[in-house]
């Protein structure tokens, strides 16, 4: 990881053009080759960036970042204020707060939340591309795959779609229907899921735990 605080201007040329006038900014150069330019606002979002695969050519105070498509990010440095290099080492990955795992456990215990007559086959049903959160049967004996998220977004729908494609190749399980279950499902994710014949289910975490939510209550 390389961090450079510098007064610079930035010009991007590619599918469109963009210009950042001279100002003090943070230049972030990562080991994966990516280069991003940050200001002291906008939280984590950069002002401009180039994602890998790309390469950086430093010619004095003119830095040119280019990718395979020929897009260029030209950084003109007027003054370097600070520079730091540090090896961060292997990334252990994000440790979630356990809510998704607990939701899976609770839904498996209260499988009829999905509908009357549902029965559990197993949790973490392993496939060649990863485990399905819950595999169960509906009241008619049909197989149902359930993907559980705390926050339901499009990537979760895509994940469940891949599981369904694989599971439906197994004659012992097919036809397999899908349920996308989350505490909150984004409208775009719901639209995509329903378009693919996947049922969406909003989970009430407190209700599944057997407690009543006191949200928005005074007493």
């Amino acid at each position: 990881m390389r961090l450079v605080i510098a007064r610079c201007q930035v010009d991007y040329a590619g599918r469109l053009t963009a210009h950042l006038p001279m100002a003090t900014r943070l230049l972030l150069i990562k080991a994966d080759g990516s280069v991003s330019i940050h200001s002291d606002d906008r939280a984590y979002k950069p002002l401009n960036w180039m994602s890998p695969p790309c390469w950086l050519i430093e010619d004095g105070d003119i830095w040119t970042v280019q990718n395979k498509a020929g897009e260029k990010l030209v950084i003109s440095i007027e003054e370097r204020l600070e520079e730091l290099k540090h090896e961060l080492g292997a990334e252990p990955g994000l440790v979630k707060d356990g809510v998704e795992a607990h939701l899976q456990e609770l839904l498996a215990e209260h499988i009829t939340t999905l509908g009357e007559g549902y029965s559990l086959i197993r949790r973490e049903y392993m496939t060649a591309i990863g485990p399905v959160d819950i595999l169960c049967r509906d009241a008619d004996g049909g197989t149902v795959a359930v993907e559980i998220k705390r926050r339901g977004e499009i990537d979760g729908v895509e994940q469940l779609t891949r599981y369904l494609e694989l599971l439906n190749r197994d004659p012992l399980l097919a036809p397999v229907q899908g349920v996308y279950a989350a505490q909150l499902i984004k409208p775009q994710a719901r639209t995509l899921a329903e378009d693919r014949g996947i049922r969406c289910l909003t989970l009430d975490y407190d209700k599944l735990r057997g407690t009543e939510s006191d949200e928005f209550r005074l007493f």
Side-chain angles (χ1 to χ4, degrees):
M1 177 76 74
R2 182 181 175 193
L3 305 174
V4 179
I5 298 175
R7 278 189 55 78
C8 62
Q9 71 175 31
V10 183
D11 293 280
Y12 168 80
R15 289 166 291 180
L16 48 80
T17 58
H19 173 72
L20 292 171
M22 191 67 68
T24 302
R25 300 185 177 93
L26 167 66
L27 309 178
L28 179 60
I29 303 97
K30 298 174 71 174
D32 64 3
S34 63
V35 177
S36 55
I37 298 96
H38 299 260
S39 63
D40 204 14
D41 61 4
R42 299 163 62 93
Y44 64 90
K45 190 174 181 181
L47 296 164
N48 214 327
W49 69 94
M50 190 73 78
S51 300
C54 61
W55 56 93
L56 169 63
I57 300 171
E58 296 184 45
D59 183 8
D61 288 332
I62 304 297
W63 293 7
T64 302
V65 190
Q66 185 170 342
N67 62 17
K68 290 182 178 180
E71 297 171 307
K72 291 184 179 181
L73 200 62
V74 180
I75 305 168
S76 304
I77 298 174
E78 181 181 81
E79 181 184 7
R80 300 190 197 195
L81 304 172
E82 297 284 349
E83 183 164 352
L84 171 68
K85 289 183 181 180
H86 193 83
E87 293 290 336
L88 298 185
E91 170 54 49
L94 177 68
V95 179
K96 296 185 179 180
D97 62 8
V99 171
E100 282 184 15
H102 198 201
L103 278 170
Q104 182 193 122
E105 181 183 342
L106 289 169
L107 188 56
E109 290 176 3
H110 306 284
I111 198 67
T112 53
T113 301
L114 296 170
E116 289 298 323
Y118 273 69
S119 59
L120 179 69
I121 296 176
R122 66 167 300 165
R123 291 172 52 198
E124 298 289 331
Y125 184 89
M126 187 55 65
T127 74
I129 58 173
V132 177
D133 288 335
I134 288 180
L135 197 69
C136 58
R137 296 197 184 280
D138 61 20
D140 299 321
T143 311
V144 180
V146 185
E147 180 64 27
I148 300 169
K149 298 290 184 188
R150 180 179 182 181
R151 185 183 182 89
E153 302 196 47
I154 283 177
D155 58 349
V157 178
E158 297 288 1
Q159 183 181 358
L160 179 54
T161 299
R162 292 192 293 272
Y163 287 143
L164 290 172
E165 287 174 355
L166 193 64
L167 292 168
N168 273 300
R169 296 177 195 169
D170 187 339
L172 297 177
L173 297 176
V176 183
Q177 299 298 315
V179 173
Y180 191 41
Q183 287 182 280
L184 173 68
I185 301 176
K186 289 285 200 72
Q188 300 92 331
R190 184 179 294 274
T191 299
L192 180 62
E194 291 174 350
D195 183 66
R196 294 181 177 180
I198 295 170
R199 178 162 68 98
C200 291
L201 177 67
T202 302
L203 298 174
D204 186 326
Y205 185 54
D206 291 318
K207 187 175 180 180
L208 282 171
R209 287 192 305 168
T211 60
E212 231 175 74
S213 173
D214 59 359
E215 190 178 13
F216 305 125
R217 292 186 184 182
L218 294 177
F219 306 101

